[in-house]
Amino acid sequence: GENVEQHPSTLSVQEGDSAVIKCTYSDSASNYFPWYKQELGKGPQLIIDIRSNVGEKKDQRIAVTLNKTAKHFSLHITETQPEDSAVYFCAASIPNFGNEKLTFGTGTRLTIIP
Amino acid sequence: NAGVTQTPKFQVLKTGQSMTLQCAQDMNHNSMYWYRQDPGMGLRLIYYSASEGTTDKGEVPNGYNVSRLNKREFSLRLESAAPSQTSVYFCASRVRQGIPGELFFGEGSRLTVL
């Protein structure tokens, strides 16, 4: 089955600097890669996603890049702000005739230092 | 707009006791999911219901049962709770299984089994 590895597990960044979280996946059939943000005491919330036919996607201060050859994808947050402090999860989805399987990474706790 | 609502938010059980976690969504989604979240292990799928009237096992189904009561409601039951089931449980919904897209999560139910 699919295995998704996420690094680092914790990350501290000075406010205003950039943060990068990296994930690798094992199954080349994976074709959908979402990123979720989980604030303290809340459920995860989708912040950005990318499909395998796209190499990069941006939404204001966040961007995701995908390298299908190397089987890794990354989340980039620029000009970090205190409200970016949260746990971030990557995931990879394998299509399977209407029964696709979504596998999550183990999470990265991002702390923005004021 | 409530989205996905879970009850209870907190529960303490003794080993061997049973309980049911309730979940309801008001987004007219076809598919619903139960995940558990443990430190360092990300989100793992317990059971899911692709559509009303169907349920399927996920990655970690042992010790759990589910019921898709109607299109809105999907419950998770622990028949005989064990300390290994101490976790945070999240219910989620999506428009339709098989079509990659956003998972909408509830705020979680923290369960402690003594």
Side-chain angles (χ1 to χ4, degrees), chain A residues 31-32 34 36 38 41-47 49 51 87 89 93 97-107, chain B residues 33 35 37 40-45 48 50 56 59 90 94 96-108:
Chain A
N31 66 352
Y32 173 67
Y36 285 82
Q38 184 179 23
K42 303 288 187 182
Q45 186 171 11
L46 180 73
I47 55 171
D49 57 12
R51 298 177 191 272
V87 178
F89 292 96
S93 176
F97 302 102
N99 193 30
E100 107 286 10
K101 183 182 176 190
L102 185 66
T103 302
F104 284 89
T106 51
Chain B
Y33 307 80
Y35 286 88
Q37 183 178 30
M41 302 191 75
L43 292 152
R44 293 182 293 168
L45 183 64
Y48 68 98
D56 284 287
E59 182 184 354
F90 288 97
R94 175 192 289 187
R96 187 180 299 279
Q97 173 74 2
I99 299 177
E102 183 172 2
L103 274 170
F104 293 82
F105 286 88
E107 294 203 332

Side-chain angles (χ1 to χ4, degrees), chain A residues 22-98:
Chain A
K22 299 181 179 181
C23 289
T24 60
Y25 60 98
S26 60
D27 197 321
S28 57
S30 292
N31 66 352
Y32 173 67
F33 307 90
W35 285 88
Y36 285 82
K37 175 184 181 182
Q38 184 179 23
E39 297 178 345
L40 192 62
K42 303 288 187 182
Q45 186 171 11
L46 180 73
I47 55 171
I48 196 167
D49 57 12
I50 192 168
R51 298 177 191 272
S52 59
N53 58 347
V54 176
E56 182 176 5
K57 184 177 179 180
K58 290 183 179 180
D59 183 3
Q60 299 183 332
R61 294 187 297 106
I62 61 173
V64 58
T65 58
L66 171 65
N67 183 327
K68 287 190 295 182
T69 302
K71 290 190 282 188
H72 68 70
F73 56 112
S74 301
L75 178 71
H76 304 254
I77 306 174
T78 59
E79 301 173 9
T80 53
Q81 301 170 3
E83 54 264 36
D84 294 329
S85 292
V87 178
Y88 292 81
F89 292 96
C90 64
S93 176
I94 302 175
N96 184 21
F97 302 102

Side-chain angles (χ1 to χ4, degrees), chain B residues 17-30:
Chain B
Q17 288 185 319
S18 62
M19 76 159 298
T20 300
L21 299 175
Q22 307 285 356
C23 174
Q25 53 90 11
D26 63 2
M27 295 173 283
N28 200 35
H29 286 170
N30 289 288

Side-chain angles (χ1 to χ4, degrees), chain B residues 63-84:
Chain B
Y64 306 95
N65 286 301
V66 291
S67 295
R68 183 75 182 266
L69 304 170
N70 48 55
K71 190 172 185 179
R72 291 186 62 248
E73 298 174 288
F74 187 40
S75 63
L76 178 71
R77 183 161 178 83
L78 287 70
E79 290 290 353
S80 179
S84 60

